[in-house]
Amino acid sequence: MTSQPPPPPQPGAQAVPTCYRHPDRETYVRCQRCERPICPDCMRDAAVGHQCPECVREGNREVRQTRATFGGAAVTTPRVTWTLLVLNVLAYGAEVLRPYEVIRQFEMWSFGVHNGEWWRLITSAFLHAPPPSFWHILFNMWALYALGPELERRLGSGRFATLYLLSALGGSVAVYLFGTEALGASTAIYGLFGALFVVARRLGYDARGVLWLIGINVVLTFVVPGISWQGHLGGLVTGVIVAAGFAYAPPRNRTLVQAGVAVAVLVALVLLITMLPPHSPLEGAFT
């Protein structure tokens, strides 16, 4: 079947407007921004009327993206916190199945690190006391659940992950220098305690409650037997330093300064491991 071409417009008649993207479609709707005719498939809802796809894309580029308090993209869902929780639970599941093998291979052991087993510096922060002891992982995961989302929203996901991992590393380095064996996420959790204090002070909040929280946990570190004071204090000090660098970085060069602080802390921790020998007390501990 064939179709006849449309008759030419009569003299003096006005041409029917067609969509600028689909010339075969007649339309009487125009983009509110550029006034080009647009068909229903090209209409995009705007505050008033409709806009064409190109104007919508241009407008999105001009909109300033929401940022976290101390830089980074705004966080609506604390995905890093949930990921860390899942990794800790999965690691604990592996311990339930093969406790001896997992702990022996991945706990923080100073002489193992000295002999090149560097992964222990981080993997130990995802292990906990094996069953029948459950208080260790329950306390640490509760603390991560309570502190993680707020700090991640303030710092941004990337900075929060950096804070967490550097705090874990700082605690392991302290164990390397002043202890022998340890395992547990408390190295990183104590870093979050320190970061919470720094952020509260930077934002002008009353930080006395955080100081009480830190003080009680530090006392428990030395009162309860079998706890690694080295890992706890190492994580706390590292967390305070990293968080201070993130929170007090000048807005003008914020990202550059924050990256510089993180790299400087990482380099300092690596140098401590590579240039100093491990310490050797008699017993290990949980963190």
Side-chain angles (χ1 to χ4, degrees), residues 52 89 129 149 153 192 215-216 219 228 233:
C52 65
V89 172
R153 291 188 179 97
L192 300 188
I216 291 172
V219 170
S228 172
L233 297 187

Side-chain angles (χ1 to χ4, degrees), residues 184-261:
S186 296
T187 51
I189 297 300
Y190 271 65
L192 300 188
F193 286 155
L196 186 64
F197 172 75
V198 171
V199 167
R201 290 296 303 270
R202 181 67 178 87
L203 296 177
Y205 299 154
D206 187 350
R208 287 177 294 181
V210 182
L211 278 178
W212 275 103
L213 177 67
I214 294 173
I216 291 172
N217 279 277
V218 169
V219 170
L220 291 176
T221 295
F222 291 96
V223 171
V224 178
I227 293 181
S228 172
W229 63 266
Q230 302 95 334
H232 284 189
L233 297 187
L236 177 64
V237 171
T238 305
V240 168
I241 294 173
V242 174
F246 287 172
Y248 288 92
R252 182 172 214 148
N253 301 306
R254 173 173 286 163
T255 300
L256 182 62
V257 172
Q258 291 172 336
V261 169

Side-chain angles (χ1 to χ4, degrees), residues 55-73:
C55 288
V56 170
R57 282 194 292 269
E58 184 180 348
N60 288 337
R61 285 196 296 268
E62 295 174 357
V63 174
R64 186 175 181 180
Q65 298 298 318
T66 306
R67 310 291 289 178
T69 307
F70 299 111

Side-chain angles (χ1 to χ4, degrees), residues 3-191:
S3 60
Q4 298 295 326
Q10 297 297 323
Q14 186 176 5
V16 176
T18 59
C19 176
Y20 80 99
R21 298 178 74 220
H22 303 96
D24 59 330
R25 302 180 186 179
E26 297 180 1
T27 180
Y28 289 91
V29 178
R30 293 182 178 273
C31 172
Q32 293 294 317
R33 189 168 182 174
C34 67
E35 296 191 351
R36 289 180 292 189
I38 49 177
C39 69
D41 288 343
C42 297
M43 295 178 188
R44 303 292 184 268
D45 290 333
V48 178
H50 298 86
Q51 292 184 5
C52 65
E54 280 77 7
C55 288
V56 170
R57 282 194 292 269
E58 184 180 348
N60 288 337
R61 285 196 296 268
E62 295 174 357
V63 174
R64 186 175 181 180
Q65 298 298 318
T66 306
R67 310 291 289 178
T69 307
F70 299 111
V75 176
T76 54
T77 302
R79 292 185 174 86
V80 171
T81 299
W82 306 142
T83 299
L84 292 169
L85 280 164
V86 170
L87 290 175
N88 276 276
V89 172
L90 290 176
Y92 196 72
E95 288 184 65
V96 172
L97 297 175
R98 295 181 174 272
Y100 177 76
E101 293 88 340
V102 172
I103 292 175
R104 183 168 172 267
Q105 186 69 25
F106 297 105
E107 71 171 340
M108 176 56 202
W109 179 41
S110 297
F111 291 101
V113 173
H114 187 64
N115 291 328
E117 298 174 356
W118 286 55
W119 65 83
R120 295 179 182 273
L121 295 165
I122 294 297
T123 57
S124 60
F126 293 90
L127 301 181
H128 293 86
S133 175
F134 296 101
W135 66 267
H136 193 208
I137 187 172
L138 288 176
F139 173 80
N140 283 338
M141 293 305 97
W142 172 84
L144 177 56
Y145 173 80
L147 302 178
E150 176 64 19
L151 285 172
E152 186 172 349
R153 291 188 179 97
R154 295 291 185 181
L155 298 173
S157 294
R159 290 162 178 79
F160 175 73
T162 301
L163 167 71
Y164 189 93
L165 294 176
L166 284 177
S167 298
L169 179 60
S172 293
V173 171
V175 173
Y176 175 87
L177 296 175
F178 306 109
T180 298
E181 296 175 276
L183 53 81
S186 296
T187 51
I189 297 300
Y190 271 65

